[in-house]
Amino acid sequence: MSDTPLLSARDLQVRFGGVLAVNKVSFDVGRGEVFTIIGPNGAGKTTVFNLISRIYTPTAGTIDFEGHRLSEVPPYRVAELGIARTFQNIELFEYATVLQNMLIGHHVHRKTGFWSELLFTPAARRAECEAREEAEKVIDFLGLQHHRDSLVAGLPYGVRKVVELARALCTRPKLLLLDEPSSGLNVEETDDMAFWIQDIKHDLGITVLMVEHDMTLVSRVSDRVLAMAQGEPLAIGTPREVQSDPRVIEAYLGAVEDMSFLRRAEPFDRKRA
Ligand SMILES: Nc1ncnc2c1ncn2[C@@H]1O[C@H](COP(=O)(O)OP(=O)(O)OP(=O)(O)O)[C@@H](O)[C@H]1O
Ligand SMILES: [Mg+2]
């Protein structure tokens, strides 16, 4: 991990009317790490993602990504800079195939202009071939060969989650934002997701910023964790440090629906078979 962080958030604040959805949040994401944000429902986790992907603009604070001040970057340029994301509620084109959804992901890097695309010039043909090659690599990487030409609408939920991950990887990101990658997945699918995340980090060298509720998954894949509650940061450190922090435990005790956090807090030490 190099010393300069890939992403640096400082004193972030977002206000929606009277609600401070995010307040005084600062953190750095180092190159090559898996950094996870945890916290009870409504803590402000997705809002932090929406600030990074420029869906929202902070009312105060800054986010720097590789020398770019993100709050000054127009939203459409975020993907070009190398930031990709998945959504808490999967967002895919239902009536397009898996491959078509992935090629849409790749389009952010197309340098060919309108006319060369329209006339399908050699440059446009080359770009199309490169996009397909890249998509095929991601299909192999995530084991999606069997679903390549299936319509997304007919796929089980667990496969759609992988397709969304595939689409994000097709943009060749430096930073991948995953909003609750295991939500709605069964135990086996969650296990697979943990392996994908580890492989994305180790084999593809992509830095991962994740929001996740499943503490077994969090402990297994995260290098560092930020815990938030009611928009504010509570603790930052290794998964073990954060899980045993009294402020974090108190925040979860206050959120009855999230008591699973405490039951599932044992460190995960199963090895890949
Ligand atoms: N566009 C918006 N307008 C008004 N309030 C919003 C908006 N987006 C988020 N909020 C509020 O900000 C707070 C934080 O929401 P956020 O979605 O970031 O929480 P979260 O930590 O991702 O929760 P969950 O675990 O349920 O996904 C909540 O009180 C939410 O109602
Ligand atoms: Mg959320």
Side-chain angles (χ1 to χ4, degrees):
M1 222 183 288
S2 113
D3 287 348
T4 13
L6 180 64
L7 181 111
S8 236
R10 285 289 166 276
D11 298 319
L12 286 181
Q13 185 194 75
V14 188
R15 183 182 288 280
F16 296 114
V19 178
L20 268 179
V22 168
N23 193 26
K24 297 185 221 150
V25 170
S26 298
F27 61 94
D28 288 335
V29 181
R31 286 167 203 274
E33 80 173 329
V34 175
F35 187 97
T36 303
I37 306 178
I38 64 166
N41 297 114
K45 307 178 298 292
T46 297
T47 306
V48 170
F49 270 27
N50 288 341
L51 290 172
I52 297 170
S53 46
R54 296 288 290 115
I55 292 172
Y56 301 144
T57 298
T59 37
T62 56
I63 309 173
D64 292 322
F65 177 78
E66 290 211 304
H68 299 274
R69 177 121 316 171
L70 284 186
S71 42
E72 290 161 15
V73 166
Y76 66 85
R77 283 213 55 222
V78 171
E80 277 176 39
L81 291 180
I83 300 177
R85 75 176 284 181
T86 63
F87 292 84
Q88 191 166 347
N89 305 306
I90 301 175
E91 297 200 9
L92 289 167
F93 294 101
E94 292 279 306
Y95 291 97
T97 66
V98 167
L99 182 63
Q100 285 163 342
N101 268 279
M102 292 173 66
L103 291 172
I104 292 161
H106 193 277
H107 260 265
V108 296
H109 291 298
R110 290 287 268 267
K111 297 280 180 275
T112 42
F114 173 77
W115 287 109
S116 73
E117 292 282 345
L118 190 70
L119 300 170
F120 209 48
T121 61
R125 262 201 300 276
R126 227 173 10 252
E128 181 70 26
C129 286
E130 275 173 21
R132 281 174 185 269
E133 272 171 31
E134 188 71 26
E136 293 298 339
K137 278 191 216 154
V138 175
I139 284 172
D140 285 347
F141 181 76
L142 294 176
L144 282 170
Q145 299 89 341
H146 181 63
H147 301 292
R148 178 199 284 104
D149 300 311
S150 310
L151 280 190
V152 165
L155 294 175
Y157 186 85
V159 179
R160 290 172 191 220
K161 290 281 265 200
V162 182
V163 175
E164 221 202 2
L165 182 57
R167 183 177 62 182
L169 287 178
C170 278
T171 67
R172 287 186 247 121
K174 293 174 187 159
L175 177 67
L176 177 63
L177 310 179
L178 302 176
D179 198 350
E180 301 201 17
S182 86
S183 74
L185 299 185
N186 63 32
V187 174
E188 203 177 306
E189 290 165 337
T190 302
D191 203 40
D192 286 343
M193 187 55 80
F195 287 129
W196 299 138
I197 295 168
Q198 285 165 328
D199 288 351
I200 286 166
K201 169 184 163 170
H202 292 297
D203 300 351
L204 304 183
I206 294 172
T207 304
V208 178
L209 174 55
M210 174 171 93
V211 165
E212 182 54 54
H213 281 288
D214 181 333
M215 285 309 296
T216 306
L217 176 64
V218 171
S219 305
R220 187 173 167 188
V221 304
S222 313
D223 295 295
R224 288 187 308 135
V225 173
L226 163 69
M228 293 175 63
Q230 297 177 341
E232 305 216 351
L234 293 176
I236 197 161
T238 64
R240 199 180 280 268
E241 284 164 358
V242 170
Q243 281 175 45
S244 55
D245 190 298
R247 285 163 299 182
V248 177
I249 293 169
E250 198 187 317
Y252 275 91
L253 281 172
V256 177
E257 69 271 29
D258 273 320
M259 288 289 280
S260 57
F261 169 83
L262 294 172
R263 274 189 275 110
R264 296 160 95 171
E266 313 86 46
F268 193 101
D269 54 8
R270 269 175 59 196
K271 293 273 181 295
R272 191 172 196 167

